[in-house]
Amino acid sequence: MPVSADPDLRARIVAAGIFAYRAADFHQVGPDEVAIHADISIEEFRRVYPVWELFIVAVIDRWNTATQQALRSIGEREGAVAYIRARLETGEGDPALVRLHLALLSAASTPGHAAAGWFRKQYTLAFEDLTVMLARDVVMGREARGTAPRHSAEQLLALYEGLQLQSLLRDQADLLAGYDRAVARMRVGWANGPVAQPAR
């Protein structure tokens, strides 16, 4: 069996990558560092992941999947607002992977990036999942009847990413308190329904 077809080895390398990003700055992690943490040769790493960007995809996918699975029940029980808050709280405990995620967001807008298509697809799926979650919240009465799920999802996703960025760059940023304040104000707007677009 070729090395690249060994799922256990791939999983081991991805786990080593996550450890490497937690142990060092984003820009200090490369194939050599991951190989050391995985206790394999650099040649072995490159046989399994010949394209670095696809290795990064595997790391982000493992992290996102684990987080989503762990917190999905919160969204089902308490709604989209509670789900996003729980994701922020999880990120507070794992700032290295938050930095990695934010650093790679620009890849989704770079057509020549080897993983651009994957990043854009995952971002779109996350947005659509949040929209569906909010639509269910309206039906169940957790959000006001005037709430427009798609517009609200745009706001929640922007708040999620913006507050994470601020928490990394501002020493005095209070991530969860800032989220709670912003959501309280947004809900007032949601209850009034979508704002009419100006005539062109």
Side-chain angles (χ1 to χ4, degrees):
M1 173 184 293
V3 174
S4 60
D6 184 345
D8 292 333
L9 181 57
R10 287 200 303 272
R12 176 177 156 194
I13 291 173
V14 170
I18 291 174
F19 186 87
Y21 280 114
R22 284 171 172 157
D25 181 74
F26 166 71
H27 297 290
Q28 296 174 335
V29 176
D32 290 327
E33 289 71 27
V34 176
I36 289 170
H37 284 295
D39 195 24
I40 60 175
S41 68
I42 186 64
E43 292 78 17
E44 198 169 13
F45 172 86
R46 286 181 171 140
R47 282 197 300 271
V48 178
Y49 287 105
V51 179
W52 176 252
E53 289 82 0
L54 299 183
F55 165 71
I56 296 296
V57 163
V59 170
I60 289 293
D61 188 53
R62 169 81 69 86
W63 180 48
N64 276 341
T65 299
T67 302
Q68 288 169 357
Q69 289 177 346
L71 303 180
R72 178 67 64 181
S73 61
I74 292 176
E76 292 172 353
R77 290 195 317 269
E78 303 174 43
V81 167
Y83 170 73
I84 293 296
R85 192 182 197 279
R87 293 210 64 168
L88 286 170
E89 194 168 12
T90 299
E92 273 195 311
D94 211 347
L97 289 180
V98 171
R99 285 195 296 272
L100 174 62
H101 179 72
L102 290 174
L104 293 172
L105 280 177
S106 63
S109 62
T110 307
H113 193 284
W118 184 88
F119 279 114
R120 290 180 69 86
K121 180 179 179 182
Q122 294 304 307
Y123 197 87
T124 299
L125 287 174
F127 174 76
E128 296 299 339
D129 284 348
L130 192 56
T131 300
V132 170
M133 205 177 291
L134 281 159
R136 186 170 63 239
D137 290 344
V138 173
V139 171
M140 297 183 69
R142 287 194 287 243
E143 300 297 347
R145 281 287 173 187
T147 301
R150 199 165 192 82
H151 297 160
S152 302
E154 288 175 351
Q155 291 179 316
L156 275 183
L157 198 54
L159 184 61
Y160 170 71
E161 290 164 353
L163 287 176
Q164 280 190 319
L165 182 60
Q166 287 192 43
S167 73
L168 297 178
L169 299 176
R170 291 180 55 234
D171 293 336
Q172 303 305 317
D174 189 334
L175 185 66
L176 297 179
Y179 178 77
D180 292 339
R181 285 193 299 271
V183 165
R185 286 164 174 76
M186 287 195 305
R187 277 176 159 158
V188 173
W190 293 354
N192 293 325
V195 176
Q197 297 297 313
R200 295 184 182 276

